[in-house]
Amino acid sequence: MIIAGIDYSLTSPAVCVFAGDTWSHENCKFYYLVKRAKSVVTSGPFSGTQYPEYYTDAHRYDNLASWSLDIMKANSVEEAFIEGYAFGATGRVFQIAENCGLLKHKLWQNKIPFDVFPPSVIKKLATTKGNANKERMYECFVEETGMDLRKILELPEKQWNPLSDIIDSFYIAKVGYQVLKSVDSSGKTV
């Protein structure tokens, strides 16, 4: 099974690609975009890339969707899982929707099935609380994987991107894995 968990955003999207039959962080590769070159790590399971230039919002959305799709194609991803919208969000909600809509369209065009999970489902799997904050998500990730991303990425204490995006993509992939494992070969939920 090769799946992708996508934490898709305008500023620092992240993709976790899992390949294997048994869930383990050791079977994951992490891809992310950042604006600061200092946060780019390309060793071990991490592949950071500096955010591409763009000239219009449409150009930006196309860059982000193409970046995500290229990762999935390069890894032969069979199914993708995306974090759904936070309905309490404010600000650039229309731009976020347009951005994610283009990704979904490109996945559909390339025959990569996808499913969307609410943020609360992802947080609950990670922490047992559907409204967990970034700090708790981080603590659970470190406990589960033994990887201290803040040190690996050399991020200051208050900086959460791309840290929280990588962690979210990991748990999105894990939820997708569990959903797929709970369906038997006839397509029925076990």
Side-chain angles (χ1 to χ4, degrees):
M1 156 186 332
I2 304 173
I3 61 172
I6 306 168
D7 184 59
Y8 205 59
S9 71
L10 289 167
T11 55
S12 64
V15 177
C16 172
V17 175
F18 167 83
D21 293 318
T22 305
W23 182 262
S24 169
H25 73 277
E26 294 172 352
N27 295 341
C28 293
K29 294 180 193 172
F30 301 94
Y31 302 86
Y32 62 95
L33 287 177
V34 287
K35 296 202 179 205
R36 295 175 14 167
K38 185 178 178 181
S39 299
V40 171
V41 173
T42 55
S43 64
F46 300 100
S47 184
T49 304
Q50 196 158 4
Y51 202 93
E53 285 189 32
Y54 61 92
Y55 306 102
T56 65
D57 281 346
H59 185 210
R60 181 183 194 181
Y61 308 154
D62 188 60
N63 283 346
L64 295 174
S66 295
W67 171 80
S68 301
L69 189 62
D70 289 346
I71 290 166
M72 287 180 252
K73 286 180 172 181
N75 287 282
S76 303
V77 167
E78 299 159 353
E79 189 157 355
F81 301 94
I82 305 168
E83 182 176 38
Y85 303 124
F87 287 105
T90 59
R92 299 178 53 135
V93 292
F94 297 113
Q95 289 87 349
I96 292 166
E98 290 173 353
N99 183 40
C100 195
L102 183 56
L103 172 65
K104 291 174 181 177
H105 179 71
K106 286 190 178 216
L107 291 171
W108 174 78
Q109 276 184 320
N110 286 273
K111 297 178 177 44
I112 299 174
F114 64 89
D115 203 351
V116 178
F117 301 119
S120 60
V121 169
I122 297 152
K123 291 174 186 286
K124 189 165 186 170
L125 171 81
T127 70
T128 71
K129 290 186 79 171
N131 64 348
N133 62 21
K134 292 177 184 192
E135 291 84 357
R136 184 64 188 134
M137 293 287 288
Y138 178 70
E139 291 167 0
C140 290
F141 180 83
V142 173
E143 287 170 20
E144 182 172 342
T145 66
M147 291 190 288
D148 188 342
L149 285 180
R150 191 169 293 287
K151 287 182 182 172
I152 293 168
L153 301 176
E154 299 178 10
L155 296 175
E157 191 63 35
K158 304 251 182 210
Q159 184 178 337
W160 284 101
N161 292 343
L163 186 75
S164 65
D165 309 295
I166 293 168
I167 292 167
D168 287 352
S169 72
F170 173 78
Y171 285 113
I172 294 164
K174 188 172 183 179
V175 170
Y177 170 83
Q178 290 186 348
V179 166
L180 291 176
K181 281 295 189 176
S182 68
V183 177
D184 69 15
S185 59
S186 68
K188 295 181 183 173
T189 303
V190 196

